Amino acid sequence: MTKLLEGKTALITGGGVGIGRGIALRFAEQGARVAVTYRTHEPDAELVEALSRASGRDPVLLSLDATSETEVSEALDVVREEFGTLDILVNNVGGLVQRAGIDELDLKLWHTVLAVNLDSTFLFTRHALALMTNPQGRIINVASLAGHTGGHPGALAYATSKAAVFGFTRSLAKELAPRGITVNALAPGFIEATPFHDTFTTQESKAVTIASIPAGRAGTPADVAGPALWLASEHAEFVTGTVVDINGGQYFA
């Protein structure tokens, strides 16, 4: 049986851990040749072996600062050398950086959080587009439920940046539609096994949040990888400018 992404090339930013790792694995299992970027979470030997085994090709691993245009541009040069063209871009890099309310949130931290979550998305998209020469290109931006709800206390800058990803997605979807490239966003809710919650969420807060989810459990990276795969496939060729909420019903509970 033909795999959904057979013959496709995909770049997943922040693909060494958590949601990015889950998406990279799912794409490789479905035949894509995969490149992943990382900075603080280098892909471990288990992930590299799994990606190689699943796709039959060694992954391309790119260490960089996703907020540096020079480093992003150089990474895309490597992707060009390895792949020739690029079919799928997943803008997954992001993070809270630090919890801070408005009284503690200085301009430096504000700019840092927006750069990590928004500048990185812009930079990778802008430079990747030069490689997206095949029909049916796909751009998938990983936003967050916090972009809808404002997030938990201390997430002002993070929630703002993720809401901005929604606007970026919709505007770019209109711009790129004539070129046959779709642009969509994923908005995960509470996803366990990620550095975000391991670092910034207490066990007590986790328990309260999980109890509020109608589905009765936390999400996993695999729960996000499934919708990402669908958006990357030919089955979603008429879907663009959409935000896919992945939260077990938490958004409207």
Side-chain angles (χ1 to χ4, degrees), residues 207-229:
V208 170
T209 299
I210 293 171
S212 73
I213 299 173
R217 65 172 178 86
T220 68
D223 290 319
V224 184
L229 173 62

Side-chain angles (χ1 to χ4, degrees), residues 59-105:
V60 177
L61 307 179
L62 302 163
S63 174
L64 54 81
D65 175 357
T67 68
S68 164
E69 183 162 20
T70 297
E71 294 188 33
V72 170
S73 176
E74 290 173 349
L76 267 298
D77 287 341
V78 174
V79 172
R80 185 194 302 273
E81 292 171 4
E82 295 290 334
F83 292 169
T85 60
L86 185 66
D87 300 295
I88 305 158
L89 170 65
V90 180
N91 286 308
N92 172 68
V93 163
L96 182 65
V97 182
Q98 176 184 326
R99 287 199 184 277
I102 188 66
D103 293 330
E104 298 79 34
L105 182 62

Side-chain angles (χ1 to χ4, degrees), residues 158-183:
Y158 176 78
T160 300
S161 66
K162 291 301 187 178
V165 171
F166 298 155
F168 178 86
T169 297
R170 290 168 179 141
S171 183
L172 192 63
K174 293 179 181 180
E175 185 173 335
L176 297 183
R179 295 164 60 173
I181 299 172
T182 65
V183 187

Side-chain angles (χ1 to χ4, degrees), residues 8 19 28 40 52 63 71 108 113 134 139 143 167 184 188-189 196 211 214 236:
K8 301 292 186 179
I19 289 172
T40 55
S52 299
S63 174
E71 294 188 33
K108 180 180 179 180
V113 177
N134 293 332
I139 297 173
N184 293 288
F196 185 106

